[in-house]
Amino acid sequence: MKGKVLLVLLLITLVLAALSYLVAINLDLMPVQASQRAELVDSHFKQVLGISAFFFFVVEGALIYAVIRFRRKSGDDSDAAPVHGNALIETVWTVIPSILVVIIGISAYQALAAIERRPVDGPTIEVIARQFSWEFRYPQAGVSSPTLHLPVGKTTLLEITSEDVIHSLWIPEFRAKRDATPGQISRLLVTPTLTGSYPLICAELCGAGHASMVTEAVVHEAAGFEAWLAESAGKPPDPVDLYVQYGCNACHALADAGANGVLGPGLDGMGEVAASRVPGVGAREYILQSIIAPEAYLVEGFPSGVMPANFGEQIPAAQLEALVDYLLDQ
Ligand code: CUA
């Protein structure tokens, strides 16, 4: 009788465990797969989740059985029988997980090797993170962009760094994430497999504007990518792009740039305000100083030490001029 109950419980547990494995590997938990990395990462993740679900039911089944089967009978106040241990069971529950961990480790290594050992046949792109924006440089074409553009089907090398604190580049649809660390260049290979536009997010708390440090990764057909590159190469810097590229939008509201940051003063009507804010200081000078020396003319109600003080070094002179001209017109 006891043997029969045990057998039925064992069968139910195994069936539930097998079912949960099947559910786990078929669950759709991830966003769309838009890169070669995404396919490899997801298949590995699903195997690990499936194995975990299977053993969760095996272990919990045994636990629930033991709790019911060996509970204290009413009126039984005697001590429990002293059990020292069971060498066989302990060996089994050490050896099986060890083998599983090694198998998962080998599978993870193979996925990583398939991702990291691809030859680079697409562009090499320099990624610069700063508080609170991204800049993507295509050095061969002399292009700089606040959004990342990639050709589909090509393995692209991103060389990622930061100009201030640690940020982290994360594109969920690519299953790709790498820290941007000051003084260091981190390499990340991405091979997009699906054209479209995907969010590119800062995944490392980097200051007051962290949450708005979001841009786009745009995957083009090969011809579309070349066309974008050629078009961008011939263009003078667009001041609205600069406003986004240097992260002004994260803190300063400006209707023309679609910005609604609230950490710093709003910049609508700037040209007029700048002309009369500080006696003896012209509008152009006021705006320039406010960018490169943010503590010089603090606006009442806004604390000091929030705006980065190094824009004078970060923004090339021609871009700085374009930005000041643009703000004078607002
Ligand atoms: Cu940059 Cu968070």
Side-chain angles (χ1 to χ4, degrees):
M1 181 61 195
K2 238 187 236 169
K4 214 170 157 188
V5 171
L6 200 57
L7 189 67
V8 170
L9 276 170
L10 183 71
L11 279 175
I12 292 173
T13 299
L14 283 178
V15 168
L16 277 176
L19 277 178
S20 66
Y21 173 82
L22 288 174
V23 170
I25 62 169
N26 286 299
L27 271 184
D28 194 14
L29 296 171
M30 298 291 207
V32 66
Q33 295 177 337
S35 80
Q36 172 247 11
R37 176 188 288 267
E39 289 156 22
L40 289 162
V41 168
D42 285 8
S43 87
H44 180 72
F45 173 76
K46 283 184 173 182
Q47 289 307 321
V48 173
L49 188 66
I51 293 170
S52 308
F54 180 89
F55 282 98
F56 176 80
F57 273 91
V58 170
V59 171
E60 293 306 304
L63 180 68
I64 290 168
Y65 171 76
V67 165
I68 295 168
R69 171 78 180 73
F70 301 110
R71 70 188 188 282
R72 188 180 68 90
K73 308 282 182 297
S74 63
D76 177 5
D77 288 329
S78 62
D79 281 342
V83 176
H84 172 255
N86 185 316
L88 177 67
I89 292 179
E90 285 173 19
T91 306
V92 168
W93 77 39
T94 304
V95 169
I96 291 181
S98 305
I99 292 172
L100 281 171
V101 167
V102 170
I103 291 174
I104 291 169
I106 291 171
S107 154
Y109 175 80
Q110 286 173 335
L112 194 62
I115 291 165
E116 300 285 340
R117 287 206 186 129
R118 290 177 75 91
V120 177
D121 58 359
T124 294
I125 303 169
E126 296 169 4
V127 180
I128 296 121
R130 54 174 76 92
Q131 288 169 317
F132 299 97
S133 66
W134 297 98
E135 182 186 352
F136 304 94
R137 288 187 188 154
Y138 299 73
Q140 286 89 0
V143 166
S144 159
S145 166
T147 45
L148 174 63
H149 293 257
L150 305 162
V152 73
K154 297 274 190 207
T155 299
T156 297
L157 172 62
L158 303 182
E159 294 182 333
I160 305 165
T161 191
S162 165
E163 281 188 352
D164 36 51
V165 299
I166 299 176
H167 305 267
S168 186
L169 176 139
W170 180 36
I171 307 167
E173 278 75 2
F174 290 177
R175 313 291 187 270
K177 188 155 158 239
R178 186 111 335 149
D179 276 6
T181 310
Q184 180 181 315
I185 291 173
S186 308
R187 293 158 47 94
L188 178 68
L189 290 177
V190 287
T191 313
T193 50
L194 201 63
T195 56
S197 184
Y198 309 103
L200 186 156
I201 300 162
C202 179
E204 185 77 54
L205 186 60
C206 55
H210 162 70
S212 51
M213 199 168 156
V214 178
T215 182
E216 269 183 335
V218 184
V219 180
H220 300 268
E221 297 290 354
F225 174 72
E226 292 305 330
W228 172 81
L229 209 55
E231 192 202 336
S232 309
K235 268 199 290 197
D238 173 354
V240 174
D241 277 356
L242 294 176
Y243 195 78
V244 174
Q245 181 171 315
Y246 290 105
C248 316
N249 61 326
C251 301
H252 299 280
L254 181 61
D256 188 66
N260 46 24
V262 293
L263 293 170
L267 302 185
D268 284 308
M270 195 62 228
E272 208 170 307
V273 172
S276 58
R277 180 152 277 159
V278 180
V281 177
R284 169 166 267 285
E285 183 61 13
Y286 175 81
I287 294 177
L288 178 67
Q289 288 305 318
S290 296
I291 296 173
I292 62 177
E295 308 294 312
Y297 311 121
L298 273 182
V299 176
E300 208 180 317
F302 293 93
S304 67
V306 175
M307 178 155 159
N310 59 349
F311 280 123
E313 297 135 48
Q314 286 188 16
I315 310 180
Q319 293 186 3
L320 196 54
E321 200 156 315
L323 206 49
V324 173
D325 285 339
Y326 172 67
L327 291 173
L328 269 173
D329 284 344
Q330 299 304 307

